[in-house]
Amino acid sequence: MKKFIAIACAVVLAIFAVYYAYYHMGMYIDTDPDAPVATFMKTDSDTIYMERDGEYEPFEIRGVNMGVGIPGEWATDYAIDKETYLRWFAEIQALGANTVRVYTILQDDFYNAFYEYNTQREAAGEEPLWLIHGVWVNDYVQNSHRDAYDDDFLQTLLEDSRTVVDIVHGEKILSLGRGLGSGSYRHDVSPWLIAYILGVEWEDVTVAYTNETYPERNQYAGTYMYTTADASPFEAMLAQVGDNIIEYESTRYKQQRLIAFSNWPTTDPFLYPAEITNFFMKCSQVDVEHIKTTEAFLSGQFASYHVYSYYPDYLNYVLNPVELELSASSGSEENLGFSLVEGSSGVPIEEVLTGNETEDYYDQDGRVNTYYAYLKMLNEYHTIPVVISEYGVSTGRGMAQRDANTGRNQGHMTEQEQGQAIVDCYEDIMASGSAGSCVFTWQDEWFKRTWNTMANVDLDNTPYWSDYQTNEQYFGLLTFDPGEEVSVCYVDGDPSEWTAEDVVLETEQGSLSMKYDEKFLYFYAEGFDPEAGPIYIPIDTTPKTGSTYCENYDLTFARPCDFVIRIDGTENSRVVVQKRYEVLRAMFMHETEDEDAYLDVPDPDTPEFQYIDLMLQTATPLITGQWEASAEVYETGALRYGNANPTSDDFDSLADYMFTDNGVEIRIPWQLLNFSNPSEMMIHDDYYEHYGVENLPIEEMFVGLALGETEEEIPLASFPLEGWGKHVTYHERLKESYYILQDYWAQLDR
């Protein structure tokens, strides 16, 4: 009996060992090494093809990128469930897209849903949804001391490539703890997988560091991929990764599909004039023309680029050159710290452009369009198909960059403007000769951050509120509005959602009511003719600073106030902030005024109130010709009149206020009032005590109301504040941009 038990235990252990080695470690035995390798995707110099009924037909990648975030969850929580994915897949296909792209390994719910969705589609005789799968490089690895040949970089990338292959073939079990999705991946979705895009938007300093560190490692020769003599060490690393994933899938699964390496303008193959190169610190290039494939690779390679119209718009500065003035502080080109052009291995843009300004920089409608020009330059340079795997604009209220030529900005665009901008970008992409594109992105993501607002918010709690000032959160075609089914308030001129319980303050002139949710503070001032004169709502949030007098509008308050909302008709309304509490001054004064904010500090009770500005990422020296030129800003505190109800025919997603018959409804995004984390009711502490933004909890704010100019002291009433913690409410809504793009693609397909 003991012998039997021992044998049984040994058998169980052996089975477990084989199971673990196969599904967890990826070990296998190639039982049929001579079996033919199959592929259903191929390319030529400019076109992607898909096999259908034994014939290869041109296939346009018309895709949508999909993130992993939902409100109240971090991306690494992988909290999207199977039912949500099934609903989203149907909406994406109804949009007119044929492909979904994911950036990294997701939890098994995604693959289970994808398998079920496509299986049902094909059973019904309908076109499936195709998949492009990415292989991610951790941000903390790339933005560190590591080079691309460090084990944390290269070995992890090689291992993750093989893991992705096993997952899409349904032959993997992955545990938590690696920063990736996890689960039991037992459904084979490879029949619908058309391509892998390897890597991310490369940091140019990582590329340069790798190339400088390993000059001797600039060649790679594999079974499926090899480098040319002009390759860099970083490009040789990419060839190794590409060869590895092709070899693994060819050997284990006897399949191949398209391969691409992620890229973007920051590491494009081109050399620009010295002024542009130095300003943008464009210190390296990644050129996939230096990576070739052997006859053993039956599928094809394409060039993948993330290209947005607003940044970095190198060609705009090539078209409109200025002569830079070097001052004593900026010094000569030599003591800028680098010489980027000399010795670089990139391709001078003169070799790609025609030399005819009209042909180079103008689109087919005769407009200056450097976005189209750049896309055309990419296509004319490459000998393989080009896919613009990210493009889009944001509907966030905040803005980070402007497109000088087409107005397709990074933020502060309505949902209708977003839809038209996506259509315009798509037309430019296809007119340039590209083989496909993927819109960025499917859903808005609350957890994201943006360079010009990230100092203003508590980065440990961004998923728990919708920060309308941070444009990066609003690239989606699908948005998440606060409230389980409807929002607590809609600024639309209809006061029916306001009740007596919402009244905070009553005066002889009128009353002020308030509400809030995960996105806005709402105000309703009523009991007066809204067009009779200016309306003032003073606000006191912080006990640290504030003034009882606003010299801008000659107003006196019963308490020291930090902000004043001024509603003056439909064209001249804004929020202003006391100078001591102006975050732009505290965080970006060196960039905007070339001065140190902490040398001449505003008094805590200064009566000066400032416009609220947001800094833009602009190549100001390349516009003005002066290295010391101050950064561009725009007034984000300016309020926009319109109907903010998404069910209204005249819906304006950027509207901040609207008049009612006897008052005005207003919505103010939390960050505009210096809330760093409204989920826990945290605001900015005094900048000049802490040399930057620190969090200060509050339990109430004080608000007042004045109708027209007044010499009387304006009383303020308390409005209690209670955070919602991590318990957010939201409901999905397809943006107007979704329907605009849907109609456009439907017209193309008729």
Side-chain angles (χ1 to χ4, degrees), residues 423 426-427 739-749:
V423 168
Y426 174 84
E427 289 183 337
Y739 299 105
I740 291 171
L741 184 58
Q742 183 185 55
D743 289 345
Y744 173 78
W745 276 344
Q747 292 174 12
L748 289 184
D749 293 337

Side-chain angles (χ1 to χ4, degrees), residues 173-374:
I173 294 176
L174 191 64
S175 300
L176 286 168
R178 300 186 60 223
L180 304 170
S182 65
S184 178
Y185 302 89
R186 304 304 299 274
H187 285 304
D188 183 3
V189 300
S190 65
W192 308 291
L193 177 68
I194 62 174
Y196 298 112
I197 296 180
L198 309 180
V200 294
E201 295 174 343
W202 306 117
E203 290 296 325
D204 51 359
V205 290
T206 302
V207 176
Y209 181 41
T210 301
N211 293 340
E212 289 291 325
T213 305
Y214 303 99
E216 75 284 357
R217 302 184 72 167
N218 65 331
Q219 296 295 298
Y220 177 82
T223 305
Y224 303 93
M225 283 190 163
Y226 65 95
T227 54
T228 68
D230 296 324
S232 69
F234 191 88
E235 291 158 357
M237 180 277 299
L238 293 181
Q240 180 181 349
V241 174
D243 188 64
N244 170 79
I245 194 171
I246 299 168
E247 181 173 27
Y248 185 70
E249 188 168 33
S250 299
T251 305
R252 181 167 185 177
Y253 298 104
K254 311 303 179 184
Q255 293 181 22
Q256 294 177 0
R257 53 253 314 136
L258 305 177
I259 294 289
F261 301 99
S262 187
N263 207 351
W264 61 326
T266 298
T267 50
D268 70 19
F270 307 125
L271 290 177
Y272 298 88
E275 294 83 359
I276 296 171
T277 302
N278 282 309
F279 178 83
F280 286 104
M281 294 182 65
K282 194 176 186 311
C283 57
S284 53
Q285 294 79 31
V286 175
D287 190 348
V288 294
E289 290 296 318
H290 297 158
I291 302 173
K292 301 298 184 181
T293 59
T294 69
E295 293 183 357
F297 185 41
L298 306 177
S299 193
Q301 182 184 1
F302 64 89
S304 170
Y305 286 92
H306 299 174
V307 187
Y308 295 85
S309 59
Y310 41 78
Y311 179 82
D313 190 3
Y314 300 133
L315 294 187
N316 185 51
Y317 309 111
V318 176
L319 179 62
N320 301 293
V322 296
E323 184 176 345
L324 288 171
E325 298 179 7
L326 299 174
S327 68
S329 60
S330 64
S332 64
E333 183 178 335
E334 284 73 21
N335 57 19
L336 287 174
F338 45 82
S339 178
L340 299 177
V341 176
E342 185 178 354
S344 296
S345 60
V347 180
I349 60 169
E350 313 83 81
E351 296 182 11
V352 185
L353 299 174
T354 67
N356 183 313
E357 186 175 288
T358 301
E359 292 183 20
D360 285 337
Y361 301 107
Y362 290 75
D363 62 22
Q364 295 175 325
D365 295 324
R367 301 170 300 182
V368 174
N369 187 341
T370 49
Y371 183 66
Y372 167 73
Y374 182 76

Side-chain angles (χ1 to χ4, degrees), residues 653-668:
S653 60
L654 292 179
D656 298 305
Y657 70 103
M658 190 171 186
F659 294 135
T660 66
D661 291 338
N662 67 339
V664 61
E665 288 184 302
I666 310 166
R667 64 179 193 181
I668 303 295

